[in-house]
């Protein structure tokens, strides 16, 4: 059974940093981070292939960094220079099959974590 468990969310001030982690069981699938703010659709933030290829949505480029350590079965998201608009529930997800470039789509991902809240105040 594939399981993903996020950790590391919290409440910070604008300009601060946070580190999220996603522990996963199973093969080293392509993975991604999504976020969902109240009243908004789930949005793909960043994705990473099993070999380390990455993609970032424009709004987080130069601020967020996705990485993974397959030996520890863990994926990470480093969030720097946080903005109020980054406030959301953040989810990690994994998909079977090949890595897809471009904005990750929720429907392409089969396995999901329970989410971790990131709140940024001004």
């Amino acid at each position: 059974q594939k399981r993903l468990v996020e950790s590391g969310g919290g409440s910070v001030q604008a300009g601060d940093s946070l580190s999220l982690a996603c522990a996963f069981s199973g093969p080293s699938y392509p993975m991604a981070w999504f976020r969902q703010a109240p009243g908004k659709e789930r949005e793909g933030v960043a994705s990473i292939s099993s070999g380390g290829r990455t993609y970032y949505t424009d709004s987080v480029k130069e601020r967020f960094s996705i990485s993974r350590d397959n030996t520890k079965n863990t994926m990470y998201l480093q969030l720097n220079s946080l903005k109020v608009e980054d406030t959301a529930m953040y989810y990690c997800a994994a998909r079977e099959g090949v890595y897809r470039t471009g904005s990750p789509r929720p429907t392409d991902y089969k396995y999901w974590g329970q989410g971790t809240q990131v709140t940024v105040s001004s």
Side-chain angles (χ1 to χ4, degrees):
Q1 183 177 1
K2 313 300 186 297
R3 292 184 67 242
L4 295 88
V5 180
E6 301 97 337
S7 60
S11 297
V12 296
Q13 298 286 320
D16 286 350
S17 298
L18 275 177
S19 296
L20 307 183
C22 174
F24 60 89
S25 62
S28 297
Y29 290 133
M31 299 184 71
W33 287 97
F34 292 82
R35 66 185 180 187
Q36 188 166 19
K40 295 188 176 181
E41 293 186 353
R42 191 164 295 190
E43 171 192 27
V45 175
S47 64
I48 187 166
S49 70
S50 58
R53 292 177 62 192
T54 60
Y55 167 88
Y56 298 92
T57 195
D58 286 346
S59 62
V60 307
K61 282 181 181 176
E62 309 300 330
R63 299 191 300 120
F64 291 8
S65 178
I66 189 172
S67 61
R68 66 191 296 166
D69 185 339
N70 292 333
T71 65
K72 296 182 179 180
N73 282 5
T74 304
M75 177 179 66
Y76 305 95
L77 186 68
Q78 177 66 36
L79 298 77
N80 297 325
S81 302
L82 281 160
K83 302 177 180 180
V84 172
E85 52 263 41
D86 293 320
T87 295
M89 186 71 79
Y90 283 69
Y91 299 90
C92 65
R95 59 171 272 111
E96 296 178 343
V98 300
Y99 175 70
R100 290 185 176 177
T101 57
S103 182
R105 298 178 301 182
T107 52
D108 288 341
Y109 287 77
K110 182 176 181 179
Y111 306 106
W112 291 85
Q114 83 287 352
T116 186
Q117 178 68 35
V118 172
T119 302
V120 185
S121 57
S122 59

